[in-house]
Amino acid sequence: MTSVVLEGYGLTKRFGPATALAGVGLAIGRGEAVAIMGPSGSGKSTLLHCLAGIMKPDEGEVRLLGQRVDTMGERERSALRRTRFGFVFQFGQLLPELPADENVALPLMLGGVSRRDAVRRAREWFGPLGLGGMEERRPGELSGGQAQRVAIARALVTRPAVVFADEPTGALDQTTGHDTMRLLVEATRGGDASLVVVTHDPQVARWCDRTVEVRDGRIMAGVDA
Amino acid sequence: MRAALGLGGRLLRAGGRRGLLSAGLTAVAVTVCTALLLFAVSANVAFAGRGDREAWRNPVPAKGRAVAVQAVHVDYVRDRRITVVELAALEPGAPPPPGLDRFPAPGEVWLSPALAELADELPADQLADRFAGRRGGTVGDEALVHPGELVAVRGWAPDSPVPAGKGADEPRGEVASTRISDFAGEPTPDAQGYRILALIASVLMAVPLLVFGGAAARLTVARRDQRLAALRLVGATPGQVVAMTAAEAVITAFAGAVAGTLLYVLLIPALTGIEIAGGSWFAADLWPGVPYTLAVLAAVPLLVGLSAVIGLRRVVVGPLGVAKRETPPGMRFVRVAVLLAVLAVVPTLSVGSGGGVIAVVLGLAFLSINLAGPWVVGLIGRITAGTARGPVRLLAGRRLVDDPRAAWRTVSGVALTGFVAGFVVLLNPSADLLGEADASRLRVSIPAARADAVAAEARERLAAAGVRAGTEVTGGGGEGGGKVLVVALGVREAGAPGKAEAGEKAGQGEKTDARVDAPVDAPVDAPVDAALVDRARTALDGLVPGRRATSTADDDRFGRLLIGDIGTGTIVVLTVSFLVAVVSAGITAVSSVLDRRQTYALLRLAGTPLKVLDRARRAETLIPLAVMGGGSIAVGLFCALPFAITGLDAGGLATLLACVLLGFAGVVGAGAVSAPVLRSVTENPAPRPD
Ligand SMILES: Nc1ncnc2c1ncn2[C@@H]1O[C@H](COP(=O)(O)OP(=O)(O)OP(=O)(O)O)[C@@H](O)[C@H]1O
Ligand SMILES: [Mg+2]
C-alpha cells in the first residue's frame, strides 16, 4: 500500500438523537480511488463531509498528511478545502453567470493567481475532458454531462491532494454517468490526486481501487481491488 | 379561476420556510408600497380639501340677487397671518357662512379656535383689541384651511364703511367688497398652485413606488420559477401556470395591501404634523376616502399580479428557459433611445407649460430612466467583468451582465431618488431671493385729503399705547391720490424713515417732504420686538376703515412661506423615495441571495471564503449604484433646468449631497441585512434545491 494521504479514525457524528456516524475509520492512500457505497441515509455524505473538513466530527480525528484537520477553525478548514481538496457535487455547483472557463479558473483566482494565468490554466483541462470549444459557454448552455466535466476540471485545476465527489453522476443517465465517472477517475489519477467518491452504482465502484460499504454509520466491509 | 386561486394558495403554503420567507418579503414590500401610495394619493385629496374649505373666502360676485356683502382683509400677529372676513347682510334671510351657525349680526366677531386662544394669551393691546365687539362664537373647522389657522369673521351693518369700502390695490389674499348670493366661492389661485405642486410631488413619489411594486412581484416569481418550470415539465398548461402564479402573487399582495392601508392609517396622526402653507393638517384631510382606498386596495394586487405574469413570461414560453438558464438575450439599445427622446422634449418645457404636461413629461422621464437602467447596468457589468483582475469584481460584473434587470431592481430606488433629488434641488428657491425685510416700519394707506388729520390721530393713538415711533406721510400723485403713512417703530419721537429705499417702497411714488417734526435718520434707539409691532398694529387698527398697518416683512411673508413649503415638500418626497429605495434594496438583496442559495452553499463547501461572496454581492450593488445614482441625479438636474428659479445654492447642494450619502448608506445598510441570510444559506452542509 502506498503512503497515506488522508485518514480518519473513530469518526462519530450525531444529529440530535440520530447517530449518522458511529466510529468510522478510513485511510486513503496517495493516488488511490475509494468508492463509498451504502443505502440511503447510512451516513455516506456525512463521512465525506467529515473527511473533507466541511463538518467537524463529534469524536475522532481526521489527518491530512499527518496534520489534524478536525481541530482547525472554520477559516483554516475553508482554506484547506480551497487549496488541497477538490469537490464535485451532484449538480448546481457552477455559477450560472460565469462562462465555463471562468468557472474552472475561479478557485485559482481565489488563490491569488492572476486572471489571465488562471483562465489559461483552466482551459488546459478542456481538451482532455472532451470539452474543446465549450470554454465560453455558460453552464445553462451545457448538457448535464458536460457541466459535470466542467465541475471535474474545476475540482482538479488547483492540483489538489484529494478530490471528493458526492454522487457526481446521480443526475445523469447511466451511459453519460459512466463516461463521466471514467473521466473523473482517470483525470484524478492523471493529476496525481486521490479520489473519494460516494456512489450508488456498483459499476462506478468497479473503476475505483477500493469500495467501502457504509451501513448505519459503520463501515461493513473493505474490498481491496 | 377558483381552482387557480386554490392551487395558488396551496402553492403558497407548500412553499416551505424559504417560500414563506419570500412571500413574506413580498408582503412587506407591498405593505410599504401601499402605505406610501396612499400617502401620495392623500396628498392630492388633502390639498383639494384645503382649497374647498378656503373657497368661501374667495367670493364670486353675485349673478342674480345679492344677499350679502363680503370683503376679506389680511392682518398679522407675531409672524402669523390672520384672515379677517367682513360680512354684512343685505337682507334678513342671508345664509350662514361655512363654520358659523348663523349669519353674524352687525358688531359681532367670530374667531377661529387658534385665534381665540392667541387673543386670550397675548395682552389685549397686542391682539384682542383689534377684535373688540360681541363674541358671536367660534369659527368651525369646516371653514378653516388648517387646525391652527387664524380667522376672524366680523359682522357689519350694510351701510358701514368696512365691508362697503373699496380698496385701491388689494394686497395678496385680500378681497375687495363683493356682493354675493351664496358662500360657494372658488378656490384661490394660491390653493390651485399648491394642488399642482402636490400633483408633481405625488408623481415623483408614485413612480418609484410602482417600479418597486413590480420588483416585489417578481420576487415571488423568482422564488417560484424553478418549481413552476417543473410544473410545466410535468405537463401543466401555460394558462394553468400563469393563473397559479398570478393567484399566488395576488393573494400575497392583497394581504400586503391591507396591511399597508392599516399602516397608513396608523401613520396619519404623525403625518398631520407636516406643516405646509402655514399649518398642519386635520386627520380627516389625510384620509383619502373610501373610494380611493378601495381603488388602491384593488389596483395594488392587480398590478402585482400583472407584474408577476410578465415576469413569468419566460417560464411560460418554454419550460427550459428558466430551468436551463441560458444566456439572456442582450438588452436593446432602444431603451436608451427612449430616454434620450424624452430628454429631448424637456428643454421645450417651461413654467408656462401647464401642470398636466409637466407631470406627464416628468413621469415619462422617470419611467424611461427605469427603462434605460437595465441596459446601462448591463454595460457597466460588461466593463466591470472585462477589466476585473480578481474574483470579486469578476463575479460582480458577470452577475450584472447575467441579470441586469435584477441588479437594476436593487439600485433603481436610489437611482430614482437621485433623479428626484436632482430635480427638486434646482427648483428650490432660496430665501435670499426676497432680500431683506424690515418689520419695524409699518405702513397704512390713507386718504390724501385727510392725510394730516389721520397722521395726527395715528400719533395720538401710538402715544396712548405707549409705542415710540416716528411718522411720515409719503406718496401721493398717482393711483387716486392715495398717500401712505409710514410709522418707524422704535424711533425717539417722530422721525422720518431713514432709508430712502424704504420710503420709495412704501410710497410707490416719489418721496415727498411731508416730514413730521423729527430729525432725519433718527436712530432706532429702542428695541423693536414682535410685541411692540403688534401693539402698534393694534393701536392703528381702524385708523382708516378697512386698512391695516403692514410692513415689508409682511409683504414677503407669502414668498417665505412658499419657499419654506417647497423645502418641506422636497424633504417629504425625498424621504418617501428614500424609504422606497432602502426597502427595495434590502428586499432585492435578500432575494438575490435566496435565489442562488444552492450555488453559494456549494461554493462555500468547496472553500470559497464567505468574504469573497459577500464582497462580490456588495460590489454587485455598489458599482451600479454609483454609476446609476450619479446618472440619475444628472438627468434630474437636466429635467429641472427649464423650471429652475435660481442656480444651485449651498442649501440645495447640501440637500443633494445628504440625499446621495443617505441613499448609499441606506442601501449598504439594507444590503447588510442579506449578509446573515448569506451566512445561513451557506451553512447548510447538504444544500439541495428545494
Ligand atoms: N444536517 C443534518 N441534520 C440532521 N440530520 C442529518 C443531517 N445530515 C444528515 N442527517 C442524518 O444523518 C444520517 C446520515 O445522512 P447522510 O446524508 O450522511 O446519508 P447518505 O448516506 O449520504 O444518504 P443518501 O444516499 O440518501 O445521500 C441520516 O439519517 C440523516 O437523516
Ligand atoms: Mg448523501
Side-chain angles (χ1 to χ4, degrees):
Chain A
M1 193 166 155
T2 47
S3 62
V4 170
V5 174
L6 182 71
E7 78 187 310
Y9 40 78
L11 294 176
T12 303
K13 182 78 189 175
R14 292 178 206 92
F15 294 105
T19 303
L21 286 182
V24 172
L26 183 64
I28 289 139
R30 177 179 296 279
E32 190 186 22
V34 177
I36 300 179
M37 294 190 70
S40 181
S42 56
K44 305 182 296 290
S45 299
T46 309
L47 174 60
L48 185 129
H49 289 155
C50 287
L51 289 174
I54 289 169
M55 261 178 202
K56 279 193 180 196
D58 297 330
E59 283 157 36
E61 291 180 9
V62 178
R63 286 178 193 268
L64 174 71
L65 297 169
Q67 195 190 8
R68 281 287 286 270
V69 171
D70 55 294
T71 50
M72 289 179 177
E74 162 61 26
R75 188 185 295 259
E76 278 173 286
R77 281 186 285 126
S78 174
L80 192 76
R81 296 201 296 270
R82 191 164 68 239
T83 54
R84 308 303 312 273
F85 296 156
F87 293 88
V88 183
F89 300 102
Q90 194 166 350
F91 62 85
Q93 58 213 302
L94 299 178
L95 277 164
E97 61 267 19
L98 291 191
D101 56 353
E102 287 178 5
N103 257 302
V104 175
L106 191 62
L108 290 174
M109 290 175 74
L110 287 169
V113 178
S114 78
R115 179 177 176 184
R116 191 203 300 218
D117 286 350
V119 171
R120 188 180 46 74
R121 278 168 60 183
R123 287 180 171 227
E124 286 169 2
W125 287 91
F126 279 65
L129 287 170
L131 289 169
M134 313 216 165
E135 290 83 352
E136 297 192 350
R137 292 221 200 150
R138 299 194 189 209
E141 295 161 323
L142 298 170
S143 72
Q146 289 163 344
Q148 282 310 80
R149 277 180 271 158
V150 172
I152 291 170
R154 194 181 66 177
L156 288 167
V157 75
T158 54
R159 306 226 160 251
V162 185
V163 172
F164 295 94
D166 195 343
E167 298 183 41
T169 58
L172 304 177
D173 66 78
Q174 207 179 30
T175 319
T176 318
H178 287 173
D179 291 349
T180 308
M181 203 61 185
R182 201 196 314 252
L183 274 171
L184 172 63
V185 174
E186 280 167 11
T188 36
R189 281 212 183 101
D192 205 19
S194 307
L195 174 67
V196 179
V197 54
V198 170
T199 180
H200 285 292
D201 188 344
Q203 173 68 37
V204 165
R206 222 161 293 150
W207 284 307
C208 296
D209 301 312
R210 188 153 63 101
T211 300
V212 169
E213 180 84 13
V214 179
R215 229 168 260 257
D216 296 332
R218 287 174 209 280
I219 289 187
M220 300 309 289
V223 184
D224 284 300
Chain B
M1 188 64 206
R2 275 200 45 198
L5 266 179
L7 250 178
R10 229 171 307 146
L11 204 59
L12 197 59
R13 279 193 301 275
R17 218 161 52 88
R18 296 239 162 77
L20 272 185
L21 176 58
S22 63
L25 284 175
T26 308
V28 168
V30 173
T31 301
V32 174
C33 271
T34 307
L36 294 176
L37 194 60
L38 280 172
F39 177 59
V41 170
S42 303
N44 291 290
V45 176
F47 277 104
R50 276 190 171 187
D52 291 345
R53 288 197 301 275
E54 193 186 28
W56 72 281
R57 295 180 233 151
N58 189 34
V60 190
K63 293 250 159 50
R65 205 175 142 78
V67 296
V69 177
Q70 181 181 15
V72 179
H73 296 130
V74 174
D75 199 355
Y76 295 92
V77 60
R78 292 300 187 263
D79 274 342
R80 299 167 66 185
R81 168 184 155 135
I82 309 173
T83 303
V84 186
V85 182
E86 322 276 18
L87 289 173
L90 294 177
E91 48 186 60
L100 276 64
D101 48 23
R102 60 188 162 77
F103 198 97
E108 256 179 6
V109 182
W110 300 56
L111 301 183
S112 67
L115 183 56
E117 198 178 307
L118 197 60
D120 287 343
E121 204 174 286
L122 296 178
D125 67 350
Q126 288 181 29
L127 178 61
D129 289 352
R130 293 186 229 175
F131 302 106
R134 198 149 36 79
R135 196 65 74 82
T138 304
V139 180
D141 287 349
E142 65 270 34
L144 300 180
V145 172
H146 55 80
E149 203 190 12
L150 306 180
V151 175
V153 181
R154 281 196 286 219
W156 298 86
D159 52 354
S160 63
V162 170
K166 182 103 177 81
D169 56 322
E170 302 299 334
R172 191 171 197 110
E174 299 214 333
V175 179
S177 293
T178 309
R179 296 166 72 83
I180 55 169
S181 55
D182 56 40
F183 284 102
E186 62 183 7
T188 63
D190 287 351
Q192 278 160 352
Y194 271 105
R195 287 189 65 171
I196 290 177
L197 289 178
L199 183 67
I200 292 178
S202 52
V203 168
L204 288 175
M205 291 190 285
V207 175
L209 275 176
L210 295 180
V211 172
F212 173 40
R218 250 155 256 160
L219 207 145
T220 9
V221 178
R223 210 62 2 72
R224 305 284 164 203
D225 56 7
Q226 291 207 358
R227 179 171 300 137
L228 291 169
L231 277 175
R232 278 284 282 136
L233 285 169
V234 301
T237 68
Q240 284 170 320
V241 170
V242 171
M244 268 185 279
T245 316
E248 191 186 350
V250 168
I251 293 170
T252 312
F254 184 73
V258 171
T261 307
L262 288 177
L263 176 67
Y264 177 70
V265 170
L266 291 177
L267 284 176
I268 286 181
L271 294 173
T272 55
I274 299 172
E275 288 205 5
I276 295 270
S280 53
W281 301 84
F282 293 111
D285 282 336
L286 294 175
W287 170 243
V290 173
Y292 279 120
T293 308
L294 288 181
V296 166
L297 273 177
V300 166
L302 276 181
L303 282 175
V304 169
L306 194 72
S307 193
V309 170
I310 293 170
L312 255 194
R313 221 173 26 196
R314 287 184 306 164
V315 190
V316 174
V317 168
L320 293 176
V322 168
K324 286 200 68 184
R325 301 223 41 160
E326 280 156 2
T327 309
M331 293 282 163
R332 287 207 214 100
F333 183 73
V334 178
R335 291 166 167 272
V336 180
V338 170
L339 174 63
L340 293 178
V342 173
L343 290 185
V345 179
V346 169
T348 66
L349 294 177
S350 71
V351 183
S353 301
V357 177
I358 295 173
V360 166
V361 173
L362 262 187
L364 283 179
F366 225 47
L367 287 173
S368 56
I369 286 186
N370 196 44
L371 203 61
W375 186 88
V376 181
V377 168
L379 183 70
I380 297 168
R382 272 193 294 281
I383 294 171
T384 309
T387 59
R389 301 232 175 133
V392 170
R393 283 170 53 100
L394 180 67
L395 287 174
R398 287 283 182 233
R399 179 116 168 83
L400 293 180
V401 179
D402 180 55
D403 197 350
R405 284 193 192 85
W408 168 245
R409 258 173 259 151
T410 312
V411 302
S412 59
V414 167
L416 295 180
T417 307
F419 172 82
V420 175
F423 183 79
V424 293
V425 104
L426 263 193
L427 291 196
N428 260 348
S430 78
D432 302 345
L433 278 181
L434 295 175
E436 269 178 56
D438 186 359
S440 72
R441 269 156 227 276
L442 293 174
R443 300 147 312 158
V444 197
S445 35
I446 54 177
R450 299 195 298 120
D452 289 341
V454 171
E457 191 191 338
R459 276 193 297 277
E460 251 169 54
R461 286 176 170 224
L462 290 169
V467 176
R468 259 195 201 176
T471 54
E472 182 190 33
V473 176
T474 63
E479 290 167 50
K483 288 194 181 261
V484 174
L485 172 71
V486 179
V487 177
L489 297 174
V491 174
R492 192 205 324 274
E493 265 315 287
K499 294 179 213 150
E501 34 163 342
E504 265 163 31
K505 257 193 200 164
Q508 296 164 340
E510 88 275 24
K511 198 178 168 197
T512 65
D513 274 330
R515 195 179 295 144
V516 192
D517 68 342
V520 190
D521 295 340
V524 175
D525 60 0
V528 178
D529 60 6
L532 183 74
V533 175
D534 282 328
R535 255 161 56 214
R537 284 192 215 274
T538 309
L540 295 173
D541 187 61
L543 178 71
V544 183
R547 298 268 155 236
R548 271 145 313 275
T550 57
S551 64
T552 50
D554 295 334
D555 297 345
D556 287 350
R557 211 141 270 162
F558 180 79
R560 277 178 204 283
L561 198 64
L562 190 63
I563 288 168
D565 286 347
I566 293 177
T568 308
T570 305
I571 291 171
V572 169
V573 169
L574 285 186
T575 306
V576 168
S577 354
F578 174 62
L579 276 177
V580 175
V582 169
V583 175
S584 76
I587 283 177
T588 40
V590 169
S591 76
S592 105
V593 169
L594 284 179
D595 275 351
R596 304 147 52 74
R597 59 189 172 279
Q598 196 200 6
T599 305
Y600 278 153
L602 291 176
L603 280 173
R604 177 126 183 253
L605 287 196
T608 310
L610 194 57
K611 215 169 68 187
V612 171
L613 297 179
D614 207 36
R615 273 169 51 203
R617 182 191 59 70
R618 269 206 308 269
E620 181 187 315
T621 306
L622 282 182
I623 296 171
L625 186 64
V627 178
M628 300 309 295
S632 306
I633 290 174
V635 173
L637 286 171
F638 179 75
C639 287
L641 274 180
F643 320 107
I645 303 170
T646 46
L648 267 181
D649 69 339
L653 214 61
T655 313
L656 184 64
L657 213 67
C659 162
V660 171
L661 288 180
L662 273 178
F664 264 71
V667 168
V668 172
V673 174
S674 65
V677 178
L678 178 64
R679 184 175 292 278
S680 99
V681 301
T682 57
E683 246 153 32
N684 182 358
R688 300 238 155 78
D690 59 15

